[in-house]
Amino acid sequence: MTEIPVPHDAAAGIRDRTCLIHQKITIEPSWWAAKLAQYNAPGGPLQHTDRHLTRANVWTHTRGAANDELVAARLLWHALAWGTGTRPRHCRRRIRSVAADPAATLATLQRAAALAATDPEAAYAQLHPHRHRSRIRGLGPAFGTKFLYFAGGGNPDHPCLILDARVATALRRRGWKTIPNGGWGPDTYARYCNLAANWATELTTTAQTTTPDQVEYWLFNTDRGSAQLPQTPGQVR
């Protein structure tokens, strides 16, 4: 398929990277402490106990997931806390799923975190090997891609990005007519990450560098206020 050109409204809409790094999400630390303890989930409790969680906070508490299964589990809980905000109740099933088979799920998470540094398609396939199928029960693509993104530890060149229904909707409105709102296969995810990276390169100037996650952040926010924007159940970001 022909590569989609940089949208005409992208350059004016891209925000400084500090905006996304310090994007605050209000979370429920007490809920996470109680549920992770209740199911004796590996990687708990949350290392972040303040009610406001930023991307920078997640990176601080979860570096090294590619080399340590327990850190990979900790990364999952922080990514889910950030993604669900004050509506974490859908995460009970995810916690139970990890706690029910920790050996298999932690190995999957660590492999995915390791692959995320270089190969978005293979990393995504670790969590979601086929469309509409996830290896960890309850961990759909919108949240699985948050895990892959945060596995980068804040590296601005990290190749894995967040993909959710709002980002997909923005992409459809800007030329990718066939991308659905969910159930993406590994090849579709890889194409999205590559497209965002290419757009970031084209948007970079001598005065200002644009990173792939700035493109993702812009896609998520660019149509904010539209009545037709979809929302993943339980998702805040």
Side-chain angles (χ1 to χ4, degrees):
M1 184 177 292
T2 303
E3 192 61 66
I4 300 165
V6 176
H8 66 85
D9 55 342
I14 296 290
R15 302 180 68 183
D16 188 90
R17 193 165 186 261
T18 56
C19 294
L20 71 89
I21 289 173
H22 299 294
Q23 177 192 9
K24 287 184 178 180
I25 302 294
T26 302
I27 66 169
E28 296 288 351
S30 59
W31 186 93
W32 283 98
K35 297 309 173 190
L36 290 172
Q38 177 183 345
Y39 296 103
N40 195 28
L46 289 188
Q47 301 298 296
H48 189 83
T49 56
D50 188 85
R51 288 207 70 205
H52 295 104
L53 182 65
T54 67
R55 297 188 192 211
N57 295 145
V58 176
W59 290 323
T60 296
H61 294 304
T62 60
R63 285 192 175 95
N67 302 307
D68 189 313
E69 290 183 349
L70 288 178
V71 178
R74 185 191 308 157
L75 170 58
L76 178 64
W77 307 138
H78 284 77
L80 289 174
W82 182 84
T84 56
T86 58
R87 297 182 288 178
R89 289 157 191 81
H90 289 278
C91 290
R92 186 192 303 260
R93 181 172 60 162
R94 297 163 183 145
I95 294 172
R96 287 201 307 260
S97 179
V98 173
D101 190 1
T105 53
L106 266 61
T108 293
L109 290 170
Q110 185 183 348
R111 284 195 299 270
L115 288 165
T118 57
D119 192 337
E121 184 168 359
Y124 184 92
Q126 280 294 314
L127 301 178
H128 315 288
H130 305 289
R131 290 191 63 192
H132 308 295
R133 178 188 164 196
S134 298
R135 281 203 169 96
I136 299 174
R137 186 179 180 189
L139 186 67
F143 289 100
T145 60
K146 289 175 178 60
F147 174 87
L148 298 178
Y149 168 71
F150 280 115
N155 175 9
D157 296 320
H158 184 62
C160 288
L161 301 170
I162 299 170
L163 177 58
D164 56 26
R166 280 183 58 167
V167 171
T169 297
L171 287 167
R172 273 199 311 281
R173 292 175 175 176
R174 287 158 182 82
W176 190 344
K177 301 300 184 182
T178 59
I179 187 169
N181 278 350
W184 309 286
D187 57 338
T188 298
Y189 178 67
R191 184 187 172 209
Y192 155 65
C193 291
N194 186 63
L195 179 66
N198 288 342
W199 285 358
T201 298
E202 292 190 46
L203 288 164
T204 292
T205 66
T206 54
Q208 183 69 51
T209 297
T210 299
T211 60
D213 58 358
Q214 286 176 269
V215 173
E216 174 270 314
Y217 188 65
W218 167 70
L219 286 166
F220 181 82
N221 286 289
T222 187
D223 295 324
R224 186 179 292 277
S226 170
Q228 284 73 47
L229 278 179
Q231 186 72 35
T232 301
Q235 177 181 310
V236 173
R237 173 54 268 243

